[in-house]
Amino acid sequence: MSTTAKAPARRKRMPRAQRERQMIDVAEAVFAERGYAAASMDEIAERVGVSKPMLYEYFNSKEGLLLACIREARAALRTVTEEAVAGAPTAEEAMRRGLHAFFVYIRERRQAWSLLRHEMALIGTSAAEEIEATRQQQTDLIATLMGGYLDSSDPVRTQASAEFVVGGCERLAIWCEAHENLTPEQVTEYAMDLLWGGLERLANR
């Protein structure tokens, strides 16, 4: 009596969007661990479980993959910030929620934050422009928020205030890396103590 061996089941192909998301997640980790210059496409491909040519098929180059990581990190930061401030009843509460969302982000998405803050090693590349675009994104969000809650009769002052908030929070976030015992809630209050005193004058005009 003969038996017919069953052919092995074919592995289901991962949808392109899901595979791309997987590649970005792994690349983000490798770039954060090794730094952009030392990171290799070979290691990223091995960790993902794909061939190196497939990485190039999706992103064209190592720099293209880095740009995809930065853009994803920027989109995630924008989403958490916008969701945090939605429906805030006052300018003060909106600022507090937005700051808290940012400090939670850098704590929970350390690898993404590492990519966004190490722009000095990327000067002269498209990545430097993407990182500056992230900074500008946050500035525009804050300026829009101020325009909705505070006196916006002087748009130049509003933009200058937004730049100050972003720059100050960026430096505070870097400082927090050496003070991991501090919670996002504590750091938010530190920032509010310094920032809101000046912004409050605009709210009361």
Side-chain angles (χ1 to χ4, degrees):
M1 182 176 179
S2 62
T3 59
T4 302
K6 290 185 177 180
R10 297 182 66 180
R11 182 179 297 176
K12 188 175 181 180
R13 187 173 182 178
M14 184 179 293
R16 183 180 179 89
Q18 186 177 347
R19 176 66 76 187
E20 184 174 311
R21 173 74 261 178
Q22 181 188 35
M23 291 174 175
I24 289 173
D25 287 343
V26 171
E28 182 182 283
V30 175
F31 287 139
E33 291 169 18
R34 310 276 190 218
Y36 173 69
S40 74
M41 294 290 268
D42 290 292
E43 180 179 2
I44 294 169
E46 182 178 354
R47 289 200 196 184
V48 175
V50 299
S51 66
K52 186 164 72 169
M54 182 176 282
L55 279 182
Y56 283 100
E57 178 186 337
Y58 275 66
F59 302 102
N60 296 318
S61 64
K62 185 170 81 166
E63 184 174 336
L65 180 52
L66 175 66
L67 295 179
C69 291
I70 294 172
R71 288 167 185 154
E72 191 284 327
R74 181 169 73 234
L77 179 57
R78 182 184 184 94
T79 296
V80 298
T81 305
E82 289 181 329
E83 290 179 350
V85 302
T90 65
E92 182 177 5
E93 182 61 20
M95 179 63 68
R96 179 174 282 105
R97 290 183 188 182
L99 291 173
H100 182 257
F102 172 69
F103 290 117
V104 168
Y105 176 90
I106 66 168
R107 176 65 60 89
E108 296 182 351
R109 294 284 307 272
R110 297 187 186 207
Q111 293 173 343
W113 168 242
S114 177
L115 290 180
L116 294 177
R117 79 174 183 81
H118 285 127
E119 72 269 22
M120 290 307 295
L122 305 170
I123 289 177
T125 71
S126 298
E129 297 174 4
E130 289 292 336
I131 290 171
E132 180 56 33
T134 301
R135 189 177 288 117
Q136 190 60 51
Q137 166 191 281
Q138 294 306 106
T139 301
D140 291 344
L141 280 172
I142 292 171
T144 299
L145 176 67
M146 289 178 177
Y149 286 98
L150 308 179
D151 176 19
S152 58
S153 60
D154 186 348
V156 175
R157 179 187 291 273
T158 299
Q159 192 69 26
S161 299
E163 292 282 355
F164 185 83
V165 171
V166 169
C169 288
E170 193 173 302
R171 290 303 309 170
L172 189 57
I174 293 171
W175 177 79
C176 284
E177 294 177 14
H179 299 81
E180 292 194 2
N181 58 308
L182 296 175
T183 66
E185 291 74 21
Q186 288 174 301
V187 181
T188 296
E189 290 309 312
Y190 293 162
M192 285 294 294
D193 287 346
L194 291 171
L195 296 172
W196 183 246
L199 294 174
E200 187 177 20
R201 293 188 299 113
L202 298 178
N204 292 334
R205 288 183 178 182

